[in-house]
Amino acid sequence: MPKNRRQKNTKPHEHEAAGGTAFLHIHGLGYSRDGERLYIPVHNGIKIYAGGAWSDAPGDKHDYMGFSAADNGFYSSGHPAEGTRYKNPLGLIRSTDEGKSITVLALEGEVDLHGLAVSYRTHTLYTLNPEPNSKMKQKGLFYSKDEGKTWTSAAMAGVTGQITSLAVHPSDDKISAIGTTVGTYVSRDYGQTYALLDPKPASALTFTGPGELIIGSTGTVELRKVNPDTGQAESWKPASAGEAITYISANPADPKKAAYTTEKKNVYVTSDDGATWTQIAKEGQAAESN
């Protein structure tokens, strides 16, 4: 998973001041329920892209990590904004109002869950736990059906390579996918066993509303939409040749729309199933468009 972890509460970077249009890090990607707003956590809060324009989300400018959008808002982890009452790290939190307020669900002050994914409609959470804590007694893959109150360990049998990404089916929460430096693996038993779906190194992945996987690959950088039941793949030509893809999000309201980010902090959106792309941010600098 992309790693930009901070150990201490520090002031925002000079070029990431609240209300600015530049961002030094991208920590996730996700759409609002109606598909009209794209959320990008950027180290100090969330940038919102809607109607061709950028704005800041309301509320404290937390350093959200493991950002995962759902139909009831978003789930995340990370570090609290300076001067707020929350312990560092945040543990597991939820927001239903674009970050204007957050609810701490579990593990506050204990762990930063970079590897976090949610089933969009069922809200079952999966996490790649980095260290033992009060809820998870060991490292590894866990899932929770009660918003972090209890967690069940998953054996993750069959997965090889360094893990780069994690995703959960939007409505069938027993189905999850893991991307690694070897390929993309799919589980149908709550992460206990995984089978190789795609043999190309994966850097990012997400499920679409209908349950297909959009996979970003390293090496020869490409995007593919893959049916996990049949293995049938549709190639999408990314707009950024040679740049590793870091996050992908499928629009929940329109299966032809999606967005992705790159290691150089470029952000692109499509409205025609990957045929063409519009760049909405270049090297960490937000761009207005119409």
Side-chain angles (χ1 to χ4, degrees), residues 126 166-169 174-178 185-187 190-191 194 207:
Y126 283 66
L166 173 67
V168 189
H169 193 284
K174 68 178 179 292
I175 300 175
S176 61
I178 287 177
Y185 299 81
V186 173
S187 171
Y190 291 102
Y194 283 85
F207 279 97

Side-chain angles (χ1 to χ4, degrees), residues 1-213:
M1 308 293 288
K3 295 181 178 179
N4 292 308
R5 182 173 180 174
R6 287 191 298 139
Q7 298 297 329
K8 298 180 179 179
N9 250 358
T10 56
K11 295 180 180 180
H13 289 297
E14 179 181 355
H15 299 292
E16 288 187 301
T21 57
F23 36 91
L24 298 181
H25 303 296
I26 295 176
H27 293 169
L29 193 63
Y31 280 96
S32 60
R33 183 175 182 173
D34 62 6
E36 296 298 321
R37 297 157 74 78
L38 181 64
Y39 304 129
I40 306 179
V42 297
H43 178 77
N44 64 316
I46 300 169
K47 298 292 181 182
I48 299 176
Y49 180 80
W54 289 89
S55 63
D56 279 341
D60 296 321
K61 308 304 180 186
H62 302 301
D63 182 11
Y64 294 111
M65 305 296 293
F67 181 92
S68 302
D71 64 2
N72 64 340
F74 69 81
Y75 296 83
S76 193
S77 190
H79 307 276
E82 185 179 20
T84 61
R85 61 182 175 83
Y86 302 101
K87 295 179 182 178
N88 187 18
L90 286 169
L92 175 66
I93 65 98
R94 180 192 65 225
S95 178
T96 59
D97 54 11
E98 298 186 330
K100 183 178 180 179
S101 64
I102 64 171
T103 299
V104 175
L105 300 174
L107 299 166
E108 184 181 10
E110 292 191 54
V111 66
D112 181 13
L113 301 171
H114 283 215
L116 184 67
V118 66
S119 174
Y120 194 83
R121 300 186 186 96
T122 76
H123 311 152
T124 293
L125 293 152
Y126 283 66
T127 191
L128 293 161
N129 183 46
E131 57 193 357
N133 53 68
S134 63
K135 299 286 187 180
M136 295 170 275
K137 302 303 182 184
Q138 67 215 37
K139 296 180 181 180
L141 181 65
F142 287 78
Y143 67 91
S144 174
K145 292 189 171 187
D146 54 13
E147 294 192 314
K149 294 182 180 69
T150 60
W151 294 86
T152 302
S153 178
M156 213 167 31
V159 174
T160 59
Q162 181 180 351
I163 296 174
T164 59
S165 45
L166 173 67
V168 189
H169 193 284
S171 56
D172 189 346
D173 57 13
K174 68 178 179 292
I175 300 175
S176 61
I178 287 177
T180 82
T181 51
V182 172
T184 298
Y185 299 81
V186 173
S187 171
R188 302 179 185 277
D189 58 5
Y190 291 102
Q192 302 302 332
T193 60
Y194 283 85
L196 182 65
L197 173 69
D198 186 272
K200 298 181 179 180
S203 58
L205 50 82
T206 193
F207 279 97
T208 67
E212 295 177 300
L213 272 170

Side-chain angles (χ1 to χ4, degrees), residues 259-277:
Y260 77 89
T261 66
T262 75
E263 61 183 347
K264 293 184 180 179
K265 299 179 289 295
N266 292 317
V267 185
Y268 300 87
V269 295
T270 182
S271 59
D272 55 13
D273 217 22
T276 60
W277 295 90

